[in-house]
Amino acid sequence: MCKYKFSFVIPIYNVENYIRETIESVIGQTIGFEDNIQLILVNDGSPDNSEKICLEYAGKYPDNIRYLKQENKGVSAARNYGLEYVEGKYVNFLDSDDTWNRDVCRKVWSYFEKHTDEIDFIAGRMKYFEAKNSYHVLDYKFEKKRQIVDIYDRYQFVQLSMATTFVKASALKGLSFDTELKIAEDMKLINIILLEKCKYGIMKDVQYNYRSRFAKTSALQGSKFDASWYLTTPKKCHEFLIEYSRKKFGEVIPYIQSVIMYDLQWRLRHPVEKDIAEDIIKEYQEIMAGLLQTVNDTIVCEQKYMYSEDRIYALCLKYGRDIQTDLAYRNHRLYFRDIFICNLKNYSVFTIRIIERNGDNLHIEGRINTFVHREDCRYYVRCRKDLEIPLEFFRMPNDVRVGMNGVIGERTGFKADIPIKRVKMLRFFMKYKDENEMRLMLAFGKFTGLDRTVKHSYCIKGGYLFKPEKTGLNVLRYSRRTHMGMEWKHLRNVIAMGKFRVVFYRVLYYLNKKRFRNKKIWFVSDQQKMAGDNGEHLFRYIMEKKTEEIQAYFVLSKGSKDISKMQKSGPVLIEFSLKHKLYSLFASKVISSHANETSINPFLKERAYIKDLYHFDYVFLQHGLTKDDLSKWLNKYNKNIGLFVTAAKPEYSSILNGNYFYDKNVVKLTGFPRYDHLFTEEKPKKEVLVIPTWRKNLAEWDGLMNTTGERRYNPFFKESEYYIFYNTLLNDKRLLDVLKECGYRVKFCNHPALRQQNRDFSGNDYVHIHQGDIDYQKEFKENSLLVTDFSSVAFDFAYLHKPVIYTHFDREEFFEGQVYDVGYFDYERDGFGPVCYDYETTLEAIINSIRNGCRLEDEYAERIEAFYEYHDNRNCERVYRAILEME
């Protein structure tokens, strides 16, 4: 007879920020905690204050909570230790940062008692939280919320987690977690238990809340950086389960094949981490191929989360060759040994991203979304019965999908020049291995003015009307009557969808079109809430030119403190106001130092219904000098920049020759407008400026950002290495002593994307934590030394021939999380100051520079001279002239 209905075993390690919530989720169970539940807390040598919290709860509930403590041995050892003290009939191994819903025990007890002879465990539903996206895993579409699953009938429905299951204590006798496994210890044990009865219960109304830990400190999230993930887990878990099934059933049953393949599908699409040794990589690849050979081809191909290219990739690894030569093609479908791979009609998407009139030709560019060998396919556009134009292909490096040991697939770029005369319909086709032609599905990029998802979408380009049809792209020579007919259909559809604001602006556009016909409207901006960057300096220059042909407006968000300042130079438009939105439809130039969506699209989510009316050229002034590879973000097909302003020779070359897809007509080496006002005759103050750049995972921890560009406060920010490094540095006694000795002060300016976290940092008598907006030019002029990490502010500071110190304490993690990759700029070779890779060398470099009077060394002065093209005050003039030349 068991003393309790349930026992919860919770291993504790470094979870003081989460453990209360976890414990409360057990204590708060509606079944009644004190009468029915035992809670076993196992401190696995936790170095934080978790013990204090555990003892507090153990003191409150001495009859229900047992507190155990051991040296750090890992989660499996901690669970095994707790298992020795279990007195409940059913056991759950709850992770110390996760929670259960309050009614879980009541529901599980009721259902388990009805089926206790059939099954040994019940699985709940897992939900991620505190992640950018919340979604469910292993959430199969059962016809009932509760049911018994027979793994012979439903071998696809695998179980991998002990945390999300309630297990009979009797079924755990003689079993334990494998302490050699850091990952997949759950997968191994739960399936050993399952193979006894080959049945288990599922309750979709029982929810386990899994914390996708912000600081990336959970075992699962950090696993791929550990060599054991590549060798120990496949050997001790995957290969073990295969042999266990063979011994028990005489074969690897389909269910175990599915368990293995479910896990392998994620491994196949993740490249091996850079620091893993070559011999480990080679052995890992051999193990993976061996595991795949135990899985039936059908089970490989029916995995729920595998793309078609992943299936082919897996089969190639399994058979040690390119299996595409064996693919059979029947009625647009691909088969491998009669096993269905995919329907090419569903995967061969033809996306047109650029439509331009070029003389007598229509120039189109875009992307083919297909994964089969391009040499096996012929793509062409049929303009007329007697005219087919083959597509010209080019590689799009940013669309490469990399897998475990190489490229899984590439998205191929295409372009074509089509004689537009006598063309009424463009249809796009593919022939696979000279079989029957297949018409391609059409999709449209955001710069075409067309949208497949919007009924009666159309656009006007170079005297022609373009309208998507089911069978292709309709091309009509422009006539007012045809145009008005299309517009009326479009408006009726928009009205039917309830988009009345869109209707208002479209009607307003046509009523005012004649009035704005000959006007050149320029929008200029920096950040949404503030000026002070290249946009402000160029705007002042434009206003000083007093050119009647150009109507320039500076755009700021409502409530910006810079509105009155900018109104002294010229007219200001309030972002998202009626006037701003209306004028955007007549703007010929949108000029900004930022490339965020709101700078070029004031209609935001309603863009699909109005983008055919956008006719402006986008001039990108840049906020910071580009040193890294930003091509994934700033390439032609994502931003379609009309003029890309650069300031340094290597920067210019990297963009022109990189994967941005711009030519010399777009990329210009002019210098930044703000550089005209950077120099000063005043001597800098004895101050050190500390300005780190942002971290994407810190700024967008929950994916929430409102239209003003402000992000929500992150309560887990203090866990980050970023915060710990800088806050410790700013309060280090050794630094403070030198500051006092030499008469210096420090100003810490957090990146604007992290400004909501400023309150977390601690200042002192010698360190000021800057609050609010940052006047970068003022700071560059006044300070004597800059300490930064990867921020482009170093280029402005060095432009003034002042010393810089780089601290790269989190280099690997930084580039893992950012939206860009390492570029042409090598800090050791090209940098304007010493590069430090840890805390102590950073501290030492700062102290040495202060004691040296913050003097710029000759080596770095020579690098600065060689890097920039111009050292004058004519940058605004060059940019302005380049914009005029676009006309």
Side-chain angles (χ1 to χ4, degrees), residues 31 69 146 204 274 357 428 504 633 823 859:
I31 199 172
K69 189 174 182 180
R146 303 177 181 182
K204 290 185 70 175
K274 299 173 185 176
R357 174 77 183 274
F428 300 86
F504 171 74
W633 178 43
E859 174 189 2

Side-chain angles (χ1 to χ4, degrees), residues 312 322-327 329 334 344 370-379 430-435:
I312 291 176
D322 185 355
I323 60 99
Q324 286 213 41
T325 55
D326 299 337
L327 294 179
Y329 180 75
L334 285 181
L344 280 181
T370 187
F371 54 89
V372 293
H373 290 161
R374 202 173 69 207
E375 56 268 25
D376 290 337
C377 304
R378 187 165 71 88
Y379 295 92
M430 178 189 81
K431 278 191 176 183
Y432 179 74
K433 293 185 177 180
D434 294 326
E435 297 283 347

Side-chain angles (χ1 to χ4, degrees), residues 56-71:
E56 175 191 328
Y57 279 98
K60 282 184 181 179
Y61 303 97
D63 296 332
N64 298 81
I65 298 180
R66 181 183 286 271
Y67 176 69
L68 306 173
K69 189 174 182 180
Q70 66 176 21
E71 293 181 3

Side-chain angles (χ1 to χ4, degrees), residues 698-701 704 709-714 717 750-761 771:
L698 302 183
E700 300 177 0
W701 69 280
L704 296 177
E710 294 177 334
R711 294 167 169 87
R712 288 178 55 189
Y713 176 78
N714 182 350
F717 178 75
N750 207 8
H751 191 279
L754 296 172
R755 74 172 72 224
Q756 71 278 11
Q757 307 299 147
N758 285 351
R759 59 178 133 158
D760 293 331
F761 291 93
Q771 304 292 332

Side-chain angles (χ1 to χ4, degrees), residues 175 289 336 375 409 516 544 559 620 667 688 704 712 739 757:
L175 298 177
F336 175 71
E375 56 268 25
F516 285 94
E544 289 169 5
F620 183 42
V667 187
V688 177
L704 296 177
R712 288 178 55 189
L739 292 172
Q757 307 299 147

Side-chain angles (χ1 to χ4, degrees), residues 398 446-447 592-597 600 618 620-646 651 655 659-662 666-667 819-820:
N398 293 329
K446 55 188 174 184
F447 302 115
S592 182
S593 61
H594 286 68
N596 51 311
E597 180 68 10
I600 55 177
Y618 175 41
F620 183 42
L621 301 176
Q622 294 205 77
H623 163 59
L625 193 146
T626 299
K627 59 179 171 53
D628 296 304
D629 185 357
L630 297 172
S631 59
K632 291 179 181 177
W633 178 43
L634 296 176
N635 69 76
K636 177 180 181 178
Y637 305 105
N638 192 41
K639 294 297 179 183
N640 198 27
I641 295 169
L643 178 64
F644 200 131
V645 170
T646 64
E651 176 198 33
I655 294 167
N659 298 322
Y660 296 83
F661 303 102
Y662 299 116
V666 173
V667 187
V819 295
Y820 48 80

